[in-house]
Amino acid sequence: MLSKKFFEVIQNEGVVSITSWGNGDQPNVRCTWNSYLHITKDKRILAPIAGFTSVQGDVSKNDRVILTLGSREVEGFNNYQGTGFLIEGRACFTDYGAEFEQMQKEYPFMNKLLEITVESAKQLL
């Protein structure tokens, strides 16, 4: 589901937006960086988090999230300079375990680990 082009994009810096919804219609949108994303062998997306309390509150009620990310440095469709992705999935937060500890060594600022199980990934540009 995560294409070779997706992996090219996350090797280049860019902004990742993460959108969540709790019980209401009002979404919460927070951002991180492409370089913070780690993809596990089973294709889950892991991101170190400091903050994101509104998203964590949403996820406790509704675990669906949408991520958008991109890079101008990776060629997209029809020789377009830049490409991006729309990722839909299920999220959870954790603050313990082997993956958390491994990520915290690399990102000592983090106090939570965001884990996203990808359900769909669509290249946009």
Side-chain angles (χ1 to χ4, degrees), residues 17 26 86 104-105:
S17 70
Q26 187 68 30
L86 172 68
Q104 196 171 44
K105 288 178 186 173

Side-chain angles (χ1 to χ4, degrees), residues 10-11 13 33-39 46-49 98-113:
I10 65 170
Q11 294 302 311
E13 198 59 271
W33 299 104
N34 289 354
S35 60
Y36 286 173
L37 301 183
H38 288 252
I39 312 304
L46 303 179
I49 301 298
E99 290 176 331
F100 175 84
E101 290 172 13
Q102 181 180 352
M103 292 281 286
Q104 196 171 44
K105 288 178 186 173
E106 190 170 346
Y107 306 102
F109 64 83
M110 70 180 268
N111 57 19
K112 296 173 250 212
L113 180 63

Side-chain angles (χ1 to χ4, degrees), residues 6-117:
F6 171 84
F7 285 95
E8 284 181 59
V9 167
I10 65 170
Q11 294 302 311
N12 291 276
E13 198 59 271
V15 174
V16 179
S17 70
I18 301 167
T19 304
S20 64
W21 297 262
N23 289 333
D25 293 331
Q26 187 68 30
N28 283 299
V29 181
R30 298 296 179 266
C31 295
T32 190
W33 299 104
N34 289 354
S35 60
Y36 286 173
L37 301 183
H38 288 252
I39 312 304
T40 65
K41 289 180 182 178
D42 61 353
K43 304 297 188 232
R44 290 174 294 123
I45 299 172
L46 303 179
I49 301 298
F52 274 58
T53 54
S54 58
V55 173
Q56 188 173 8
D58 285 350
V59 166
S60 71
K61 298 171 190 157
N62 173 14
D63 66 352
R64 298 188 61 74
V65 294
I66 294 174
L67 281 71
T68 56
L69 59 105
S71 173
R72 187 171 171 84
E73 305 305 317
V74 178
E75 186 176 298
F77 298 129
N78 302 314
N79 299 316
Y80 187 81
Q81 186 56 46
T83 193
F85 284 84
L86 172 68
I87 308 290
E88 296 183 53
R90 305 271 179 184
C92 66
F93 286 85
T94 188
D95 59 3
Y96 64 91
E99 290 176 331
F100 175 84
E101 290 172 13
Q102 181 180 352
M103 292 281 286
Q104 196 171 44
K105 288 178 186 173
E106 190 170 346
Y107 306 102
F109 64 83
M110 70 180 268
N111 57 19
K112 296 173 250 212
L113 180 63
L114 173 60
E115 174 190 322
I116 299 165
T117 301

